[in-house]
Amino acid sequence: MRNYWTIVTRELKSYFSSPVAYVVIGLFLLISGVFYYLIVTNFVQVCMRADMQAQMYRMAPPKLNINMMAIRPLFHNMSLFALFFLPLVTMRLYADEKRSGTIELLLTSPVSNLQHLAGKFTAAAVLYLLMLIFSFVYMILLYIFGSPETGPILTGYLGLYLLGLSYLSFGLFFSTLTDNQLIAAIATMVFILFFWAIGWLSGSVSPALGQALEQFSLIEHFDDFSKGIFDTQHVIFYLSFVVMGLFLSFISIESARWRGR
Amino acid sequence: MIDVRQVTRYFGRVKAVDQVSFQVEKGEILGFLGPNAAGKTTTMRILTTFLPATKGTATVAGYDVHLKSMEVRKRIGYMPENPPLYTEMRVRDFIDFVASIKGVDPRDRKRAVAETMDKTGVAHVSNRVIKTLSKGYKQRVGLAQALVHNPDVLILDEPTVGLDPKQIIEVRELIKSLGGNHTIILSTHILPEVSMTCERVVIINAGRVVAEDKPENLTRHLTASQRISVAVKGPKQDVQSKLSALSSVSQVIPSQSGDDASVHRFLLESLAENEIRPQVARAVIENGWDLFEMKPEGLSLEDVFLHLTTKEEGTEL
Ligand SMILES: Nc1ncnc2c1ncn2[C@@H]1O[C@H](COP(=O)(O)OP(=O)(O)O)[C@@H](O)[C@H]1O
Ligand SMILES: [Mg+2]
């Protein structure tokens, strides 16, 4: 257990002693911020127009739902940005150790493969948690100007976090396969995009197959979270995805010994 | 302390290590000498549990490297060819991290880290970020990470490669000072390095152990330019002394005789590049003995030596 925490700490320090963490968090917040601004200003305009129409026709102004009209699209945008930024968080975890040779230190120390694997994953998960916590500022601003429901915001964040953990676990896996960080990142993005888009195919295949495909689509399971619905079925889906990624990483590290790394 | 038995390792079809066996006693410094691609690194990686062997077994401090790898890892310090350094860390933090994953007791850690930095001469750069250090200092930090948990066994893969002559001498002195307290295996492709630092040498070529000896003896093999074996029928003492007296023969070593007890075999070495065979033949005839056989002897070592680096720029032999 001590080994695990030692690895977590070292990885976190390493994130913050290189530009990676700052760039990834900064860009994620910046791009989310831009879309936040666009979505919110658009929502305000829609509200004003609705108000004006209501005054013109002397009706009560309609109650427009900020959760459905602004926060939900924002969550969907953020889930897409995470797809592009999180592979940058995981790409170095093993690939860089292989490139620099520190893998020889790690794998000849009395630390089990499970310990360093879990440690590295945890460090990435903590970094992602920080990203989401910072982005929460945007939500707080909404409370100042409007009155959003808190429930959907919380489930939205939970969904976003679980979705991101799935990205991270497969990012970790691809990082074990190569000593080239860029290849690890690109492979991760392509893989995730595939599991994102798999649901879109459902329209063009037989209904039975389509339903099955939707079951595997990473983003289908996110929709309920963004609507404020908490369903353990989706939680289980994401956790299975995470476990799968970690399991494959474990197998990959073990088998690399026999192949000769 | 270290026992390697019939270890073989394939990479796909390539046989990188071929039935290698050797032992290292406690406190001994063993040189592992061989040209590039001989299989030195692969053997060391097997001993450090980084790679499994395809066949054969190895034990370190009594623990099997495959079956009890965690026990082995606690007892070895390993410096790979490229020192494994997290270059974005500070020297002290890095050594402390290594101490922690090597299982040094948290209460002893601070002291262990400080002592190791003193021993390896990096104490005065302890707050520097590793990537800003010179090659020589990085090498020392590499040694420090191998030493911090005071392991029984040290495995050093070409520890002086890429250093300048002054740094090489310093690193060798450091390694010599570690012998006795630690059992050390040190690989190198530089012949003079083993005579300077090691008590015993295992020579490996194309994955096989081709010789095992004391460094002094190896140097003799090297300076002998020709070795022949002769089988002579005659009085043994007499033959030996007469052959030794020949001007171009530097050494006569009796070797085991064949079935006929009166036929004696000798291994002759010449110092210079002289061709000694005519002289030997003449001596045998002139003394009235019978020459049964004369042939150039086991030059496989020389083939190996041809590919070794035998001279160093700037350092004393
Ligand atoms: N990971 C690997 N994959 C494939 N071949 C390898 C690997 N490591 C070493 N080899 C091969 O094994 C042989 C021995 O290599 P090595 O042990 O590195 O030799 P040395 O350290 O003596 O230079 C070489 O032919 C090398 O190409
Ligand atoms: Mg090597």
Side-chain angles (χ1 to χ4, degrees):
Chain A
M1 203 54 191
R2 209 182 49 168
N3 284 336
Y4 165 74
W5 284 113
T6 309
I7 302 282
V8 174
T9 319
R10 202 208 69 76
E11 291 292 342
L12 277 176
K13 278 191 195 150
S14 160
Y15 276 130
F16 287 99
S17 59
S18 73
V20 179
Y22 304 102
V23 170
V24 168
I25 294 182
L27 283 180
F28 179 75
L29 291 180
L30 181 72
I31 296 187
S32 304
V34 168
F35 276 77
Y36 168 85
Y37 176 78
L38 294 176
I39 288 170
V40 170
T41 48
N42 178 266
F43 177 70
V44 169
Q45 277 173 2
V46 170
C47 286
M48 288 200 317
R49 227 176 291 134
D51 270 356
M52 267 168 18
Q53 279 177 351
Q55 272 178 2
M56 232 156 36
Y57 301 109
R58 296 179 193 292
M59 294 188 319
K63 266 214 121 7
L64 294 172
N65 188 329
I66 187 169
N67 281 87
M68 286 312 266
M69 293 188 62
I71 297 177
R72 191 170 158 224
L74 191 60
F75 275 131
H76 274 274
N77 279 319
M78 280 162 70
S79 70
L80 184 63
F81 305 147
L83 188 159
F84 290 104
F85 286 113
L86 292 186
L88 305 179
V89 168
T90 47
M91 64 181 181
R92 49 170 280 282
L93 289 174
Y94 282 98
D96 203 40
E97 301 236 20
K98 290 185 176 195
R99 184 196 52 79
S100 72
T102 49
I103 191 86
E104 293 203 54
L105 167 60
L106 196 61
L107 298 189
T108 58
S109 296
V111 176
S112 72
N113 287 348
L114 201 59
Q115 283 168 339
H116 55 77
L117 197 67
K120 282 168 182 287
F121 181 70
T122 307
V126 168
L127 190 76
Y128 180 45
L129 191 63
L130 286 178
M131 269 162 79
L132 292 189
I133 288 173
F134 287 135
S135 77
F136 199 71
V137 173
Y138 297 142
M139 300 297 166
I140 292 173
L141 290 177
L142 292 181
Y143 279 94
I144 298 174
F145 300 113
S147 48
E149 275 181 76
T150 306
I153 294 184
L154 292 183
T155 57
Y157 265 107
L158 177 66
L160 207 51
Y161 195 56
L162 288 170
L163 179 69
L165 290 185
S166 320
Y167 299 169
L168 292 177
S169 91
F170 273 86
L172 188 68
F173 169 59
F174 285 106
S175 182
T176 64
L177 294 181
T178 167
D179 60 5
N180 185 319
Q181 299 192 39
L182 198 63
I183 291 176
I186 290 171
T188 311
M189 285 180 202
V190 170
F191 175 86
I192 301 171
L193 262 178
F194 176 77
F195 270 90
W196 238 62
I198 207 170
W200 301 339
L201 290 174
S202 58
S204 50
V205 292
S206 71
L209 184 61
Q211 266 216 313
L213 286 182
E214 261 176 36
Q215 279 305 306
F216 283 103
S217 162
L218 275 170
I219 199 64
E220 283 305 319
H221 291 268
F222 180 65
D223 207 40
D224 276 353
F225 284 109
S226 71
K227 284 187 209 151
I229 301 167
F230 176 84
D231 188 339
T232 46
Q233 171 210 332
H234 302 311
V235 177
I236 289 169
F237 170 79
Y238 284 129
L239 291 184
S240 321
F241 219 86
V242 169
V243 170
M244 192 61 176
L246 292 178
F247 178 70
L248 288 175
S249 311
F250 185 77
I251 299 286
S252 159
I253 294 171
E254 289 274 321
S255 72
R257 274 163 60 78
W258 299 96
R259 291 197 312 266
R261 301 188 199 280
Chain B
M1 192 45 106
I2 299 172
D3 189 0
V4 181
R5 297 199 173 188
Q6 303 280 313
V7 164
T8 300
R9 167 77 203 205
Y10 284 90
F11 290 108
R13 293 240 163 125
V14 179
K15 212 186 221 178
V17 172
D18 188 2
Q19 301 196 21
V20 164
S21 302
F22 61 90
Q23 280 79 38
V24 193
E25 296 303 319
K26 194 166 190 304
E28 197 179 12
I29 304 185
L30 178 86
F32 205 46
L33 180 68
N36 277 329
K40 303 183 293 292
T41 299
T42 305
T43 308
M44 294 184 136
R45 284 179 165 174
I46 291 169
L47 284 177
T48 55
T49 78
F50 184 71
L51 287 177
T54 312
K55 275 190 238 132
T57 57
T59 60
V60 173
Y63 294 98
D64 187 291
V65 291
H66 187 60
L67 302 173
K68 288 270 183 270
S69 65
M70 286 297 161
E71 294 304 318
V72 171
R73 291 176 188 194
K74 283 179 201 160
R75 290 166 179 80
I76 51 159
Y78 173 36
M79 185 162 84
E81 236 165 318
N82 304 309
L85 306 172
Y86 293 106
T87 51
E88 78 282 358
M89 294 175 91
R90 291 175 194 284
V91 173
R92 183 195 309 277
D93 296 342
F94 173 65
I95 307 293
D96 186 69
F97 164 73
V98 177
S100 170
I101 58 171
K102 294 285 183 179
V104 176
D105 191 308
R107 284 164 300 181
D108 291 342
R109 214 158 76 204
K110 211 165 168 187
R111 185 191 48 75
V113 170
E115 273 180 19
T116 309
M117 289 196 303
D118 273 341
K119 208 188 287 183
T120 50
V122 294
H124 63 288
V125 291
S126 63
N127 288 321
R128 290 264 296 273
V129 174
I130 294 173
K131 74 174 134 208
T132 67
L133 296 176
S134 69
K135 174 95 178 130
Y137 272 98
K138 283 183 183 155
Q139 201 80 358
R140 286 160 182 243
V141 179
L143 267 174
Q145 65 79 28
L147 277 170
V148 67
H149 54 308
N150 196 24
D152 295 339
V153 173
L154 272 177
I155 295 188
L156 312 173
D157 197 355
E158 311 224 7
T160 59
V161 116
L163 298 183
D164 67 36
K166 185 165 161 286
Q167 295 166 336
I168 289 179
I169 291 169
E170 287 167 359
V171 168
R172 281 177 190 161
E173 288 304 320
L174 183 59
I175 292 170
K176 264 200 248 179
S177 73
L178 296 170
N181 293 323
H182 307 268
T183 306
I184 303 178
I185 300 187
L186 170 160
S187 82
T188 179
H189 65 275
I190 303 164
L191 187 64
E193 182 152 289
V194 283
S195 25
M196 271 176 287
T197 37
C198 306
E199 292 148 16
R200 204 156 54 84
V201 190
V202 166
I203 299 183
I204 177 171
N205 189 41
R208 287 172 164 275
V209 172
V210 293
E212 192 182 329
D213 214 333
K214 289 199 178 337
E216 308 86 88
N217 300 347
L218 292 179
T219 326
R220 210 194 57 226
H221 290 311
L222 180 71
T223 45
S225 73
Q226 199 186 17
R227 296 170 88 201
I228 57 169
S229 101
V230 290
V232 177
K233 189 169 184 174
K236 188 172 179 184
Q237 290 299 331
D238 206 21
V239 174
Q240 187 170 354
S241 63
K242 288 251 165 60
L243 289 182
S244 304
L246 293 174
S247 61
S248 53
V249 174
S250 67
Q251 198 162 23
V252 178
I253 309 159
S255 56
Q256 69 207 79
S257 304
D259 306 331
D260 187 347
S262 60
V263 176
H264 305 288
R265 286 180 175 277
F266 300 94
L267 199 61
L268 306 190
E269 285 183 359
S270 74
L271 240 189
E273 299 194 341
N274 297 334
E275 174 58 78
I276 57 175
R277 274 175 291 185
Q279 217 183 359
V280 171
R282 220 172 297 130
V284 171
I285 305 298
E286 282 169 6
N287 283 292
W289 308 320
D290 296 329
L291 183 58
F292 274 64
E293 190 183 290
M294 176 150 70
K295 62 171 196 235
E297 193 45 56
L299 295 180
S300 67
L301 262 190
E302 286 187 8
D303 295 339
V304 177
F305 283 128
L306 276 182
H307 295 105
L308 288 173
T309 308
T310 52
K311 293 216 171 58
E312 281 185 290
E313 303 289 318
T315 52
E316 296 294 307
L317 229 171

